Amino acid sequence: MVGCHLSGQQSYTIRQAYTADIAAVMQIEVQSFDAGIAEDEAVFAERLAEAEGCNYVLENADHAVCGYFTAELWTAAQFTPSFFDLGHSVRDRHDPAGTTLYISSFALLPEVRGQRTADKTSGIAEYFFSAALDYITAAFPQLQRIILLVHEDWHKAITIYEGQGFTRIQVLDNFSWFAGKKAFIYQKMTPY
């Protein structure tokens, strides 16, 4: 578990996510994504059950979950757009020996977004994202790369990913789950 403090009274802790966190994760999901993009509860339940060691939450000082990070390990060397389908089966794709980490979702409650750490060296979102990756790459040393998919209009998320060393490797035009908008696939090679 890792903690950080905001410039103020609030402190946060990062810990592994559990099935008991589903209600809080779903609250964050519906506040973070449009209805056509938000995953349903069954998908998150499967992620937590099947991809052990790949899912983390951000808790405030009151132990309320205010952010989540979910991922899965893949063995595939090449990806088609269907790999990124909303509601895809983690059970069918996740392999604990996989060498590619796919970050399936990352979100924080609106009131946490934009807040900075007490030392003002990074935002809470950047800190959480980086710490979750550190935990996962330590637990799965075979990882060779990390990938994620992002909507073309999610500029703040793109800034976080690029700030963490991710580079855009592919553009999916008219991505079906993004109402015909572009989706960008980002990648980072490991170790980083």
Side-chain angles (χ1 to χ4, degrees), residues 144-181:
Q144 296 174 2
R145 69 178 169 173
I146 305 166
I147 61 169
L148 58 85
L149 179 90
V150 63
H151 190 291
E152 69 176 304
D153 293 337
W154 298 346
H155 304 290
K156 290 181 181 178
I158 290 169
T159 299
I160 291 170
Y161 305 146
E162 290 177 349
Q164 297 285 323
F166 283 78
T167 56
R168 186 181 310 169
I169 61 166
Q170 189 173 354
V171 175
L172 302 176
D173 290 314
N174 300 311
F175 189 64
S176 61
W177 296 108
F178 291 166
K181 296 281 247 175

PDB file of all heavy atoms in Angstrom, residues 144-181:
ATOM      1  N   GLN A 144       6.651  -6.942 -21.096  1.00  0.00           N
ATOM      2  CA  GLN A 144       7.509  -6.314 -22.098  1.00  0.00           C
ATOM      3  C   GLN A 144       6.938  -4.995 -22.599  1.00  0.00           C
ATOM      4  O   GLN A 144       7.671  -4.135 -23.061  1.00  0.00           O
ATOM      5  CB  GLN A 144       7.711  -7.263 -23.285  1.00  0.00           C
ATOM      6  CG  GLN A 144       8.444  -8.516 -22.901  1.00  0.00           C
ATOM      7  CD  GLN A 144       8.512  -9.527 -24.035  1.00  0.00           C
ATOM      8  OE1 GLN A 144       8.035  -9.296 -25.144  1.00  0.00           O
ATOM      9  NE2 GLN A 144       9.100 -10.669 -23.755  1.00  0.00           N
ATOM     10  N   ARG A 145       5.618  -4.869 -22.500  1.00  0.00           N
ATOM     11  CA  ARG A 145       5.001  -3.616 -22.929  1.00  0.00           C
ATOM     12  C   ARG A 145       3.664  -3.421 -22.237  1.00  0.00           C
ATOM     13  O   ARG A 145       3.050  -4.365 -21.745  1.00  0.00           O
ATOM     14  CB  ARG A 145       4.832  -3.551 -24.436  1.00  0.00           C
ATOM     15  CG  ARG A 145       3.813  -4.513 -24.992  1.00  0.00           C
ATOM     16  CD  ARG A 145       3.713  -4.324 -26.474  1.00  0.00           C
ATOM     17  NE  ARG A 145       2.944  -5.379 -27.084  1.00  0.00           N
ATOM     18  CZ  ARG A 145       2.596  -5.403 -28.328  1.00  0.00           C
ATOM     19  NH1 ARG A 145       2.942  -4.430 -29.132  1.00  0.00           N
ATOM     20  NH2 ARG A 145       1.887  -6.393 -28.819  1.00  0.00           N
ATOM     21  N   ILE A 146       3.238  -2.162 -22.262  1.00  0.00           N
ATOM     22  CA  ILE A 146       1.958  -1.767 -21.674  1.00  0.00           C
ATOM     23  C   ILE A 146       1.206  -1.025 -22.769  1.00  0.00           C
ATOM     24  O   ILE A 146       1.774  -0.164 -23.449  1.00  0.00           O
ATOM     25  CB  ILE A 146       2.171  -0.844 -20.458  1.00  0.00           C
ATOM     26  CG1 ILE A 146       3.093  -1.510 -19.429  1.00  0.00           C
ATOM     27  CG2 ILE A 146       0.839  -0.462 -19.829  1.00  0.00           C
ATOM     28  CD1 ILE A 146       3.632  -0.557 -18.381  1.00  0.00           C
ATOM     29  N   ILE A 147      -0.079  -1.356 -22.933  1.00  0.00           N
ATOM     30  CA  ILE A 147      -0.892  -0.671 -23.936  1.00  0.00           C
ATOM     31  C   ILE A 147      -2.180  -0.176 -23.303  1.00  0.00           C
ATOM     32  O   ILE A 147      -2.612  -0.673 -22.257  1.00  0.00           O
ATOM     33  CB  ILE A 147      -1.211  -1.571 -25.152  1.00  0.00           C
ATOM     34  CG1 ILE A 147      -1.999  -2.814 -24.731  1.00  0.00           C
ATOM     35  CG2 ILE A 147       0.046  -1.929 -25.919  1.00  0.00           C
ATOM     36  CD1 ILE A 147      -2.574  -3.584 -25.905  1.00  0.00           C
ATOM     37  N   LEU A 148      -2.778   0.799 -23.953  1.00  0.00           N
ATOM     38  CA  LEU A 148      -4.078   1.319 -23.534  1.00  0.00           C
ATOM     39  C   LEU A 148      -4.755   1.954 -24.726  1.00  0.00           C
ATOM     40  O   LEU A 148      -4.119   2.242 -25.737  1.00  0.00           O
ATOM     41  CB  LEU A 148      -3.933   2.310 -22.376  1.00  0.00           C
ATOM     42  CG  LEU A 148      -3.058   3.544 -22.584  1.00  0.00           C
ATOM     43  CD1 LEU A 148      -3.826   4.673 -23.245  1.00  0.00           C
ATOM     44  CD2 LEU A 148      -2.500   3.999 -21.258  1.00  0.00           C
ATOM     45  N   LEU A 149      -6.042   2.132 -24.596  1.00  0.00           N
ATOM     46  CA  LEU A 149      -6.866   2.748 -25.632  1.00  0.00           C
ATOM     47  C   LEU A 149      -7.497   3.994 -25.032  1.00  0.00           C
ATOM     48  O   LEU A 149      -7.965   3.965 -23.890  1.00  0.00           O
ATOM     49  CB  LEU A 149      -7.965   1.769 -26.064  1.00  0.00           C
ATOM     50  CG  LEU A 149      -8.931   2.255 -27.124  1.00  0.00           C
ATOM     51  CD1 LEU A 149      -8.387   1.894 -28.516  1.00  0.00           C
ATOM     52  CD2 LEU A 149     -10.287   1.592 -26.933  1.00  0.00           C
ATOM     53  N   VAL A 150      -7.515   5.094 -25.792  1.00  0.00           N
ATOM     54  CA  VAL A 150      -8.086   6.335 -25.278  1.00  0.00           C
ATOM     55  C   VAL A 150      -8.878   7.046 -26.381  1.00  0.00           C
ATOM     56  O   VAL A 150      -8.498   7.017 -27.554  1.00  0.00           O
ATOM     57  CB  VAL A 150      -6.976   7.242 -24.677  1.00  0.00           C
ATOM     58  CG1 VAL A 150      -5.974   7.679 -25.739  1.00  0.00           C
ATOM     59  CG2 VAL A 150      -7.552   8.438 -23.954  1.00  0.00           C
ATOM     60  N   HIS A 151      -9.972   7.653 -25.995  1.00  0.00           N
ATOM     61  CA  HIS A 151     -10.829   8.444 -26.880  1.00  0.00           C
ATOM     62  C   HIS A 151     -10.069   9.690 -27.319  1.00  0.00           C
ATOM     63  O   HIS A 151      -9.360  10.314 -26.523  1.00  0.00           O
ATOM     64  CB  HIS A 151     -12.079   8.834 -26.092  1.00  0.00           C
ATOM     65  CG  HIS A 151     -13.187   9.438 -26.865  1.00  0.00           C
ATOM     66  ND1 HIS A 151     -13.116  10.685 -27.431  1.00  0.00           N
ATOM     67  CD2 HIS A 151     -14.428   8.952 -27.169  1.00  0.00           C
ATOM     68  CE1 HIS A 151     -14.259  10.963 -28.035  1.00  0.00           C
ATOM     69  NE2 HIS A 151     -15.068   9.918 -27.897  1.00  0.00           N
ATOM     70  N   GLU A 152     -10.233  10.071 -28.568  1.00  0.00           N
ATOM     71  CA  GLU A 152      -9.518  11.231 -29.099  1.00  0.00           C
ATOM     72  C   GLU A 152      -9.807  12.535 -28.348  1.00  0.00           C
ATOM     73  O   GLU A 152      -8.973  13.452 -28.355  1.00  0.00           O
ATOM     74  CB  GLU A 152      -9.832  11.423 -30.583  1.00  0.00           C
ATOM     75  CG  GLU A 152     -11.253  11.865 -30.881  1.00  0.00           C
ATOM     76  CD  GLU A 152     -11.485  12.130 -32.361  1.00  0.00           C
ATOM     77  OE1 GLU A 152     -10.753  12.952 -32.956  1.00  0.00           O
ATOM     78  OE2 GLU A 152     -12.406  11.509 -32.915  1.00  0.00           O
ATOM     79  N   ASP A 153     -10.962  12.640 -27.698  1.00  0.00           N
ATOM     80  CA  ASP A 153     -11.330  13.875 -27.009  1.00  0.00           C
ATOM     81  C   ASP A 153     -10.909  13.912 -25.537  1.00  0.00           C
ATOM     82  O   ASP A 153     -11.149  14.912 -24.866  1.00  0.00           O
ATOM     83  CB  ASP A 153     -12.845  14.084 -27.076  1.00  0.00           C
ATOM     84  CG  ASP A 153     -13.322  14.364 -28.495  1.00  0.00           C
ATOM     85  OD1 ASP A 153     -12.511  14.819 -29.338  1.00  0.00           O
ATOM     86  OD2 ASP A 153     -14.517  14.119 -28.770  1.00  0.00           O
ATOM     87  N   TRP A 154     -10.311  12.855 -25.040  1.00  0.00           N
ATOM     88  CA  TRP A 154      -9.923  12.808 -23.621  1.00  0.00           C
ATOM     89  C   TRP A 154      -8.516  13.385 -23.449  1.00  0.00           C
ATOM     90  O   TRP A 154      -7.548  12.685 -23.128  1.00  0.00           O
ATOM     91  CB  TRP A 154     -10.025  11.393 -23.075  1.00  0.00           C
ATOM     92  CG  TRP A 154     -11.416  10.835 -23.115  1.00  0.00           C
ATOM     93  CD1 TRP A 154     -12.582  11.517 -23.315  1.00  0.00           C
ATOM     94  CD2 TRP A 154     -11.796   9.472 -22.961  1.00  0.00           C
ATOM     95  NE1 TRP A 154     -13.662  10.665 -23.298  1.00  0.00           N
ATOM     96  CE2 TRP A 154     -13.209   9.401 -23.079  1.00  0.00           C
ATOM     97  CE3 TRP A 154     -11.092   8.297 -22.734  1.00  0.00           C
ATOM     98  CZ2 TRP A 154     -13.918   8.214 -22.979  1.00  0.00           C
ATOM     99  CZ3 TRP A 154     -11.791   7.106 -22.640  1.00  0.00           C
ATOM    100  CH2 TRP A 154     -13.188   7.074 -22.751  1.00  0.00           C
ATOM    101  N   HIS A 155      -8.415  14.680 -23.642  1.00  0.00           N
ATOM    102  CA  HIS A 155      -7.123  15.370 -23.676  1.00  0.00           C
ATOM    103  C   HIS A 155      -6.360  15.286 -22.357  1.00  0.00           C
ATOM    104  O   HIS A 155      -5.130  15.142 -22.362  1.00  0.00           O
ATOM    105  CB  HIS A 155      -7.320  16.830 -24.105  1.00  0.00           C
ATOM    106  CG  HIS A 155      -8.021  16.948 -25.423  1.00  0.00           C
ATOM    107  ND1 HIS A 155      -7.427  16.581 -26.617  1.00  0.00           N
ATOM    108  CD2 HIS A 155      -9.281  17.347 -25.738  1.00  0.00           C
ATOM    109  CE1 HIS A 155      -8.283  16.761 -27.604  1.00  0.00           C
ATOM    110  NE2 HIS A 155      -9.414  17.226 -27.106  1.00  0.00           N
ATOM    111  N   LYS A 156      -7.058  15.383 -21.235  1.00  0.00           N
ATOM    112  CA  LYS A 156      -6.362  15.293 -19.942  1.00  0.00           C
ATOM    113  C   LYS A 156      -5.777  13.904 -19.735  1.00  0.00           C
ATOM    114  O   LYS A 156      -4.661  13.757 -19.239  1.00  0.00           O
ATOM    115  CB  LYS A 156      -7.297  15.680 -18.800  1.00  0.00           C
ATOM    116  CG  LYS A 156      -7.625  17.158 -18.789  1.00  0.00           C
ATOM    117  CD  LYS A 156      -8.531  17.538 -17.650  1.00  0.00           C
ATOM    118  CE  LYS A 156      -8.842  19.020 -17.716  1.00  0.00           C
ATOM    119  NZ  LYS A 156      -9.751  19.451 -16.661  1.00  0.00           N
ATOM    120  N   ALA A 157      -6.513  12.868 -20.115  1.00  0.00           N
ATOM    121  CA  ALA A 157      -5.996  11.497 -20.002  1.00  0.00           C
ATOM    122  C   ALA A 157      -4.786  11.323 -20.917  1.00  0.00           C
ATOM    123  O   ALA A 157      -3.765  10.749 -20.504  1.00  0.00           O
ATOM    124  CB  ALA A 157      -7.087  10.488 -20.353  1.00  0.00           C
ATOM    125  N   ILE A 158      -4.873  11.831 -22.126  1.00  0.00           N
ATOM    126  CA  ILE A 158      -3.755  11.734 -23.069  1.00  0.00           C
ATOM    127  C   ILE A 158      -2.521  12.412 -22.492  1.00  0.00           C
ATOM    128  O   ILE A 158      -1.404  11.887 -22.584  1.00  0.00           O
ATOM    129  CB  ILE A 158      -4.147  12.307 -24.442  1.00  0.00           C
ATOM    130  CG1 ILE A 158      -5.174  11.382 -25.114  1.00  0.00           C
ATOM    131  CG2 ILE A 158      -2.929  12.512 -25.329  1.00  0.00           C
ATOM    132  CD1 ILE A 158      -5.841  11.965 -26.345  1.00  0.00           C
ATOM    133  N   THR A 159      -2.703  13.561 -21.863  1.00  0.00           N
ATOM    134  CA  THR A 159      -1.587  14.269 -21.237  1.00  0.00           C
ATOM    135  C   THR A 159      -0.946  13.412 -20.144  1.00  0.00           C
ATOM    136  O   THR A 159       0.287  13.352 -20.041  1.00  0.00           O
ATOM    137  CB  THR A 159      -2.066  15.619 -20.663  1.00  0.00           C
ATOM    138  OG1 THR A 159      -2.572  16.414 -21.733  1.00  0.00           O
ATOM    139  CG2 THR A 159      -0.937  16.359 -19.965  1.00  0.00           C
ATOM    140  N   ILE A 160      -1.755  12.748 -19.345  1.00  0.00           N
ATOM    141  CA  ILE A 160      -1.218  11.860 -18.301  1.00  0.00           C
ATOM    142  C   ILE A 160      -0.409  10.739 -18.942  1.00  0.00           C
ATOM    143  O   ILE A 160       0.729  10.463 -18.538  1.00  0.00           O
ATOM    144  CB  ILE A 160      -2.349  11.282 -17.422  1.00  0.00           C
ATOM    145  CG1 ILE A 160      -2.970  12.385 -16.566  1.00  0.00           C
ATOM    146  CG2 ILE A 160      -1.825  10.140 -16.535  1.00  0.00           C
ATOM    147  CD1 ILE A 160      -4.245  11.972 -15.848  1.00  0.00           C
ATOM    148  N   TYR A 161      -0.981  10.087 -19.931  1.00  0.00           N
ATOM    149  CA  TYR A 161      -0.306   8.942 -20.551  1.00  0.00           C
ATOM    150  C   TYR A 161       0.998   9.360 -21.224  1.00  0.00           C
ATOM    151  O   TYR A 161       2.026   8.705 -21.052  1.00  0.00           O
ATOM    152  CB  TYR A 161      -1.227   8.249 -21.567  1.00  0.00           C
ATOM    153  CG  TYR A 161      -2.557   7.839 -20.983  1.00  0.00           C
ATOM    154  CD1 TYR A 161      -3.715   7.874 -21.745  1.00  0.00           C
ATOM    155  CD2 TYR A 161      -2.679   7.431 -19.653  1.00  0.00           C
ATOM    156  CE1 TYR A 161      -4.942   7.498 -21.222  1.00  0.00           C
ATOM    157  CE2 TYR A 161      -3.907   7.069 -19.115  1.00  0.00           C
ATOM    158  CZ  TYR A 161      -5.033   7.108 -19.904  1.00  0.00           C
ATOM    159  OH  TYR A 161      -6.239   6.747 -19.379  1.00  0.00           O
ATOM    160  N   GLU A 162       0.966  10.448 -21.974  1.00  0.00           N
ATOM    161  CA  GLU A 162       2.190  10.908 -22.627  1.00  0.00           C
ATOM    162  C   GLU A 162       3.226  11.358 -21.602  1.00  0.00           C
ATOM    163  O   GLU A 162       4.423  11.127 -21.778  1.00  0.00           O
ATOM    164  CB  GLU A 162       1.878  12.018 -23.625  1.00  0.00           C
ATOM    165  CG  GLU A 162       1.130  11.488 -24.838  1.00  0.00           C
ATOM    166  CD  GLU A 162       0.727  12.558 -25.840  1.00  0.00           C
ATOM    167  OE1 GLU A 162       0.825  13.776 -25.533  1.00  0.00           O
ATOM    168  OE2 GLU A 162       0.283  12.172 -26.956  1.00  0.00           O
ATOM    169  N   GLY A 163       2.768  11.943 -20.489  1.00  0.00           N
ATOM    170  CA  GLY A 163       3.672  12.336 -19.413  1.00  0.00           C
ATOM    171  C   GLY A 163       4.324  11.152 -18.727  1.00  0.00           C
ATOM    172  O   GLY A 163       5.400  11.277 -18.127  1.00  0.00           O
ATOM    173  N   GLN A 164       3.688   9.999 -18.829  1.00  0.00           N
ATOM    174  CA  GLN A 164       4.232   8.770 -18.253  1.00  0.00           C
ATOM    175  C   GLN A 164       5.089   7.996 -19.267  1.00  0.00           C
ATOM    176  O   GLN A 164       5.508   6.877 -18.996  1.00  0.00           O
ATOM    177  CB  GLN A 164       3.095   7.871 -17.750  1.00  0.00           C
ATOM    178  CG  GLN A 164       2.273   8.475 -16.638  1.00  0.00           C
ATOM    179  CD  GLN A 164       3.014   8.458 -15.303  1.00  0.00           C
ATOM    180  OE1 GLN A 164       3.725   7.527 -14.991  1.00  0.00           O
ATOM    181  NE2 GLN A 164       2.823   9.489 -14.518  1.00  0.00           N
ATOM    182  N   GLY A 165       5.312   8.567 -20.433  1.00  0.00           N
ATOM    183  CA  GLY A 165       6.189   7.942 -21.421  1.00  0.00           C
ATOM    184  C   GLY A 165       5.496   7.075 -22.456  1.00  0.00           C
ATOM    185  O   GLY A 165       6.163   6.380 -23.228  1.00  0.00           O
ATOM    186  N   PHE A 166       4.176   7.112 -22.520  1.00  0.00           N
ATOM    187  CA  PHE A 166       3.454   6.355 -23.529  1.00  0.00           C
ATOM    188  C   PHE A 166       3.503   7.103 -24.862  1.00  0.00           C
ATOM    189  O   PHE A 166       3.471   8.333 -24.880  1.00  0.00           O
ATOM    190  CB  PHE A 166       1.987   6.150 -23.120  1.00  0.00           C
ATOM    191  CG  PHE A 166       1.790   5.097 -22.074  1.00  0.00           C
ATOM    192  CD1 PHE A 166       2.055   5.367 -20.740  1.00  0.00           C
ATOM    193  CD2 PHE A 166       1.344   3.828 -22.417  1.00  0.00           C
ATOM    194  CE1 PHE A 166       1.876   4.395 -19.764  1.00  0.00           C
ATOM    195  CE2 PHE A 166       1.161   2.856 -21.449  1.00  0.00           C
ATOM    196  CZ  PHE A 166       1.433   3.141 -20.120  1.00  0.00           C
ATOM    197  N   THR A 167       3.560   6.345 -25.958  1.00  0.00           N
ATOM    198  CA  THR A 167       3.536   6.944 -27.284  1.00  0.00           C
ATOM    199  C   THR A 167       2.388   6.334 -28.089  1.00  0.00           C
ATOM    200  O   THR A 167       2.065   5.157 -27.943  1.00  0.00           O
ATOM    201  CB  THR A 167       4.864   6.724 -28.041  1.00  0.00           C
ATOM    202  OG1 THR A 167       5.145   5.330 -28.096  1.00  0.00           O
ATOM    203  CG2 THR A 167       6.008   7.447 -27.350  1.00  0.00           C
ATOM    204  N   ARG A 168       1.821   7.157 -28.943  1.00  0.00           N
ATOM    205  CA  ARG A 168       0.713   6.708 -29.782  1.00  0.00           C
ATOM    206  C   ARG A 168       1.282   5.804 -30.880  1.00  0.00           C
ATOM    207  O   ARG A 168       2.208   6.194 -31.596  1.00  0.00           O
ATOM    208  CB  ARG A 168       0.006   7.899 -30.400  1.00  0.00           C
ATOM    209  CG  ARG A 168      -1.235   7.524 -31.177  1.00  0.00           C
ATOM    210  CD  ARG A 168      -1.918   8.711 -31.810  1.00  0.00           C
ATOM    211  NE  ARG A 168      -2.128   9.783 -30.851  1.00  0.00           N
ATOM    212  CZ  ARG A 168      -2.509  11.011 -31.178  1.00  0.00           C
ATOM    213  NH1 ARG A 168      -2.709  11.328 -32.440  1.00  0.00           N
ATOM    214  NH2 ARG A 168      -2.687  11.925 -30.267  1.00  0.00           N
ATOM    215  N   ILE A 169       0.711   4.599 -31.001  1.00  0.00           N
ATOM    216  CA  ILE A 169       1.197   3.664 -32.015  1.00  0.00           C
ATOM    217  C   ILE A 169       0.161   3.348 -33.089  1.00  0.00           C
ATOM    218  O   ILE A 169       0.511   2.802 -34.124  1.00  0.00           O
ATOM    219  CB  ILE A 169       1.697   2.343 -31.382  1.00  0.00           C
ATOM    220  CG1 ILE A 169       0.573   1.625 -30.617  1.00  0.00           C
ATOM    221  CG2 ILE A 169       2.912   2.596 -30.500  1.00  0.00           C
ATOM    222  CD1 ILE A 169       0.881   0.188 -30.251  1.00  0.00           C
ATOM    223  N   GLN A 170      -1.097   3.692 -32.824  1.00  0.00           N
ATOM    224  CA  GLN A 170      -2.133   3.374 -33.811  1.00  0.00           C
ATOM    225  C   GLN A 170      -3.353   4.263 -33.583  1.00  0.00           C
ATOM    226  O   GLN A 170      -3.659   4.640 -32.453  1.00  0.00           O
ATOM    227  CB  GLN A 170      -2.542   1.907 -33.692  1.00  0.00           C
ATOM    228  CG  GLN A 170      -3.438   1.409 -34.787  1.00  0.00           C
ATOM    229  CD  GLN A 170      -3.680  -0.093 -34.704  1.00  0.00           C
ATOM    230  OE1 GLN A 170      -3.099  -0.795 -33.895  1.00  0.00           O
ATOM    231  NE2 GLN A 170      -4.569  -0.583 -35.544  1.00  0.00           N
ATOM    232  N   VAL A 171      -4.028   4.578 -34.673  1.00  0.00           N
ATOM    233  CA  VAL A 171      -5.286   5.328 -34.627  1.00  0.00           C
ATOM    234  C   VAL A 171      -6.364   4.420 -35.210  1.00  0.00           C
ATOM    235  O   VAL A 171      -6.199   3.863 -36.295  1.00  0.00           O
ATOM    236  CB  VAL A 171      -5.205   6.639 -35.434  1.00  0.00           C
ATOM    237  CG1 VAL A 171      -6.555   7.340 -35.464  1.00  0.00           C
ATOM    238  CG2 VAL A 171      -4.121   7.549 -34.875  1.00  0.00           C
ATOM    239  N   LEU A 172      -7.447   4.254 -34.467  1.00  0.00           N
ATOM    240  CA  LEU A 172      -8.599   3.499 -34.956  1.00  0.00           C
ATOM    241  C   LEU A 172      -9.665   4.522 -35.349  1.00  0.00           C
ATOM    242  O   LEU A 172     -10.285   5.149 -34.484  1.00  0.00           O
ATOM    243  CB  LEU A 172      -9.129   2.554 -33.875  1.00  0.00           C
ATOM    244  CG  LEU A 172      -8.133   1.521 -33.323  1.00  0.00           C
ATOM    245  CD1 LEU A 172      -8.767   0.720 -32.193  1.00  0.00           C
ATOM    246  CD2 LEU A 172      -7.635   0.607 -34.423  1.00  0.00           C
ATOM    247  N   ASP A 173      -9.842   4.738 -36.633  1.00  0.00           N
ATOM    248  CA  ASP A 173     -10.841   5.683 -37.122  1.00  0.00           C
ATOM    249  C   ASP A 173     -12.235   5.116 -36.906  1.00  0.00           C
ATOM    250  O   ASP A 173     -12.445   3.908 -37.003  1.00  0.00           O
ATOM    251  CB  ASP A 173     -10.629   5.965 -38.614  1.00  0.00           C
ATOM    252  CG  ASP A 173      -9.372   6.765 -38.860  1.00  0.00           C
ATOM    253  OD1 ASP A 173      -9.144   7.754 -38.140  1.00  0.00           O
ATOM    254  OD2 ASP A 173      -8.603   6.391 -39.771  1.00  0.00           O
ATOM    255  N   ASN A 174     -13.184   5.979 -36.609  1.00  0.00           N
ATOM    256  CA  ASN A 174     -14.588   5.574 -36.443  1.00  0.00           C
ATOM    257  C   ASN A 174     -14.746   4.388 -35.500  1.00  0.00           C
ATOM    258  O   ASN A 174     -15.450   3.425 -35.801  1.00  0.00           O
ATOM    259  CB  ASN A 174     -15.212   5.242 -37.806  1.00  0.00           C
ATOM    260  CG  ASN A 174     -15.184   6.423 -38.737  1.00  0.00           C
ATOM    261  OD1 ASN A 174     -15.575   7.522 -38.356  1.00  0.00           O
ATOM    262  ND2 ASN A 174     -14.695   6.223 -39.948  1.00  0.00           N
ATOM    263  N   PHE A 175     -14.088   4.457 -34.350  1.00  0.00           N
ATOM    264  CA  PHE A 175     -14.144   3.346 -33.389  1.00  0.00           C
ATOM    265  C   PHE A 175     -15.577   3.189 -32.888  1.00  0.00           C
ATOM    266  O   PHE A 175     -16.180   4.134 -32.381  1.00  0.00           O
ATOM    267  CB  PHE A 175     -13.185   3.610 -32.226  1.00  0.00           C
ATOM    268  CG  PHE A 175     -13.020   2.441 -31.309  1.00  0.00           C
ATOM    269  CD1 PHE A 175     -12.464   1.255 -31.751  1.00  0.00           C
ATOM    270  CD2 PHE A 175     -13.417   2.527 -29.988  1.00  0.00           C
ATOM    271  CE1 PHE A 175     -12.306   0.176 -30.907  1.00  0.00           C
ATOM    272  CE2 PHE A 175     -13.267   1.457 -29.126  1.00  0.00           C
ATOM    273  CZ  PHE A 175     -12.703   0.276 -29.586  1.00  0.00           C
ATOM    274  N   SER A 176     -16.123   2.001 -33.048  1.00  0.00           N
ATOM    275  CA  SER A 176     -17.548   1.775 -32.790  1.00  0.00           C
ATOM    276  C   SER A 176     -17.980   2.128 -31.372  1.00  0.00           C
ATOM    277  O   SER A 176     -19.066   2.659 -31.170  1.00  0.00           O
ATOM    278  CB  SER A 176     -17.921   0.332 -33.120  1.00  0.00           C
ATOM    279  OG  SER A 176     -17.184  -0.563 -32.313  1.00  0.00           O
ATOM    280  N   TRP A 177     -17.162   1.853 -30.380  1.00  0.00           N
ATOM    281  CA  TRP A 177     -17.568   2.111 -28.993  1.00  0.00           C
ATOM    282  C   TRP A 177     -17.474   3.588 -28.630  1.00  0.00           C
ATOM    283  O   TRP A 177     -17.971   4.005 -27.595  1.00  0.00           O
ATOM    284  CB  TRP A 177     -16.749   1.270 -28.027  1.00  0.00           C
ATOM    285  CG  TRP A 177     -17.018  -0.180 -28.233  1.00  0.00           C
ATOM    286  CD1 TRP A 177     -16.178  -1.101 -28.791  1.00  0.00           C
ATOM    287  CD2 TRP A 177     -18.236  -0.876 -27.943  1.00  0.00           C
ATOM    288  NE1 TRP A 177     -16.795  -2.323 -28.856  1.00  0.00           N
ATOM    289  CE2 TRP A 177     -18.063  -2.211 -28.351  1.00  0.00           C
ATOM    290  CE3 TRP A 177     -19.456  -0.497 -27.400  1.00  0.00           C
ATOM    291  CZ2 TRP A 177     -19.057  -3.166 -28.200  1.00  0.00           C
ATOM    292  CZ3 TRP A 177     -20.442  -1.454 -27.256  1.00  0.00           C
ATOM    293  CH2 TRP A 177     -20.231  -2.773 -27.652  1.00  0.00           C
ATOM    294  N   PHE A 178     -16.822   4.378 -29.492  1.00  0.00           N
ATOM    295  CA  PHE A 178     -16.701   5.813 -29.235  1.00  0.00           C
ATOM    296  C   PHE A 178     -17.574   6.614 -30.193  1.00  0.00           C
ATOM    297  O   PHE A 178     -17.228   7.715 -30.587  1.00  0.00           O
ATOM    298  CB  PHE A 178     -15.244   6.264 -29.344  1.00  0.00           C
ATOM    299  CG  PHE A 178     -14.337   5.750 -28.255  1.00  0.00           C
ATOM    300  CD1 PHE A 178     -12.964   5.846 -28.387  1.00  0.00           C
ATOM    301  CD2 PHE A 178     -14.838   5.179 -27.096  1.00  0.00           C
ATOM    302  CE1 PHE A 178     -12.114   5.388 -27.389  1.00  0.00           C
ATOM    303  CE2 PHE A 178     -13.990   4.704 -26.103  1.00  0.00           C
ATOM    304  CZ  PHE A 178     -12.628   4.813 -26.253  1.00  0.00           C
ATOM    305  N   ALA A 179     -18.699   6.068 -30.562  1.00  0.00           N
ATOM    306  CA  ALA A 179     -19.693   6.741 -31.417  1.00  0.00           C
ATOM    307  C   ALA A 179     -19.063   7.288 -32.695  1.00  0.00           C
ATOM    308  O   ALA A 179     -19.348   8.397 -33.125  1.00  0.00           O
ATOM    309  CB  ALA A 179     -20.393   7.851 -30.638  1.00  0.00           C
ATOM    310  N   GLY A 180     -18.180   6.495 -33.280  1.00  0.00           N
ATOM    311  CA  GLY A 180     -17.569   6.876 -34.538  1.00  0.00           C
ATOM    312  C   GLY A 180     -16.387   7.813 -34.430  1.00  0.00           C
ATOM    313  O   GLY A 180     -15.798   8.184 -35.442  1.00  0.00           O
ATOM    314  N   LYS A 181     -16.022   8.200 -33.233  1.00  0.00           N
ATOM    315  CA  LYS A 181     -14.846   9.062 -33.034  1.00  0.00           C
ATOM    316  C   LYS A 181     -13.591   8.195 -33.124  1.00  0.00           C
ATOM    317  O   LYS A 181     -13.647   6.965 -33.098  1.00  0.00           O
ATOM    318  CB  LYS A 181     -14.895   9.737 -31.663  1.00  0.00           C
ATOM    319  CG  LYS A 181     -16.061  10.683 -31.496  1.00  0.00           C
ATOM    320  CD  LYS A 181     -15.799  11.993 -32.163  1.00  0.00           C
ATOM    321  CE  LYS A 181     -15.676  13.057 -31.112  1.00  0.00           C
ATOM    322  NZ  LYS A 181     -15.305  14.336 -31.614  1.00  0.00           N
TER     323      LYS A 181
END
